[in-house]
Amino acid sequence: MTESLDGRAALVTGSTGGMGVGIARALAAAGASVMLNGFGDAASIETLRAGMAEELGVDVAYHGADMADPAQVAELVAATERRFGALDILCNNAGIQHVAITEEFPVERWDALIAVLLSAPFHAIRAALPGMKARGWGRIINTASASGLKGAVRKAAYVAAKHGVIGLTKVVALETAECGITCNAICPGWMLTGMSGPQIEVIAQTEGVSIEAASRILLAGQPTKKFITGEEIGALAAYLCSDAARQVTGTALSIDGGVSAG
């Protein structure tokens, strides 16, 4: 049973594809107004926005802020507050990826990943907290990763950023513990997204196997041998926004097919 989020307003960064769509749809299905954000073809984004609004009967808007730019992040939060009158739910989900061994990792890619994966959540939270505190209610959900809980080769920036996101989550949770605000991190395992697709292709090329076989290789370390879905991530996010989860704060919740059990 999904608890109603009628009257709440949500911002989901990185929500024009992948798990961000799953989160946005779950919150909208529960009654929240939703601000979408992300890059992509303008017509496709408008189709997504309009379709979600019509299907779920809520106000759905879109803002194309670049999450690597702190000023644009702050404006995205302000635009959400102007559109809906408040920002109650902040989901920091925007992501990018680059893989290389540490000594060959391009400095500009390190800077870009840290900007989007770690600095952007900080800037968004910083901008959103005053309004949440004034209203005495807020939900902050940061997308971390199984890589936020363990290491992974060729992913220095991604792993460092996701570990940092979990640390940021804990700090914000402690600082807002008496304010009616919760802050949690979701740590997904492998999903079929725009970031995992290229990695599957690299495996296929390197091993000389099909995409299907490369997917099985990728999933070898995920005990269920199944990809996590956006709908599953969205359901967890909706729960974290509910009153039932009001005592769940400062946690890093694994949804990884058993990866973290090993």
Side-chain angles (χ1 to χ4, degrees):
M1 182 176 64
T2 302
E3 184 172 317
S4 174
L5 294 175
D6 289 350
R8 300 297 186 188
L11 164 60
V12 185
T13 69
S15 52
T16 54
M19 80 175 77
V21 173
I23 294 171
R25 285 187 61 83
L27 300 181
S33 301
V34 176
M35 177 68 79
L36 302 176
N37 159 262
F39 296 143
D41 175 71
S44 298
I45 292 172
E46 175 55 22
T47 297
L48 171 67
R49 186 208 64 77
M52 191 179 297
E54 181 178 0
E55 177 188 352
L56 301 174
V58 297
D59 188 2
V60 180
Y62 167 75
H63 193 292
D66 182 351
M67 301 309 291
D69 182 339
Q72 292 190 45
V73 175
E75 171 54 26
L76 173 60
V77 171
T80 304
E81 293 174 331
R82 290 194 300 269
R83 174 64 179 254
F84 302 134
L87 173 53
D88 304 298
I89 300 165
L90 171 63
C91 299
N92 290 303
N93 176 72
I96 57 175
Q97 180 61 288
H98 185 84
V99 294
I101 59 174
T102 301
E103 65 268 31
E104 297 177 3
F105 208 100
V107 171
E108 66 274 12
R109 297 312 299 157
W110 168 276
D111 291 343
L113 263 71
I114 296 300
V116 172
L117 300 176
L118 180 56
S119 295
F122 162 75
H123 292 299
I125 291 169
R126 182 177 181 274
L129 277 177
M132 290 181 177
K133 286 184 175 181
R135 291 183 296 276
W137 197 95
R139 297 289 185 268
I140 300 169
I141 300 172
N142 298 318
T143 297
S145 168
S147 295
L149 300 169
K150 58 190 297 186
V153 296
R154 300 175 62 84
K155 295 183 179 180
Y158 190 81
V159 170
K162 293 304 187 180
H163 275 68
V165 164
I166 291 175
L168 174 64
T169 297
K170 293 177 180 180
V171 170
V172 174
L174 292 173
E175 291 179 349
T176 61
E178 297 183 61
C179 301
I181 299 168
T182 66
C183 184
N184 293 287
I186 293 176
C187 300
W190 284 111
M191 301 181 66
L192 276 176
T193 67
M195 289 197 297
S196 62
Q199 294 177 72
I200 293 172
E201 292 175 2
V202 168
I203 293 172
Q205 293 171 2
T206 302
E207 301 295 329
V209 298
S210 67
I211 292 295
E212 291 74 19
S215 295
R216 290 194 293 272
I217 292 172
L218 190 72
L219 287 172
Q222 194 149 294
T224 61
K225 303 300 187 287
K226 295 180 180 179
F227 286 107
I228 312 303
T229 69
E231 291 78 11
E232 290 164 342
I233 300 292
L236 178 54
Y239 163 70
L240 290 173
C241 292
S242 71
D243 283 343
R246 60 183 174 272
Q247 293 289 347
V248 181
T249 193
T251 63
L253 296 158
S254 294
I255 178 167
D256 61 9
V259 170
S260 55

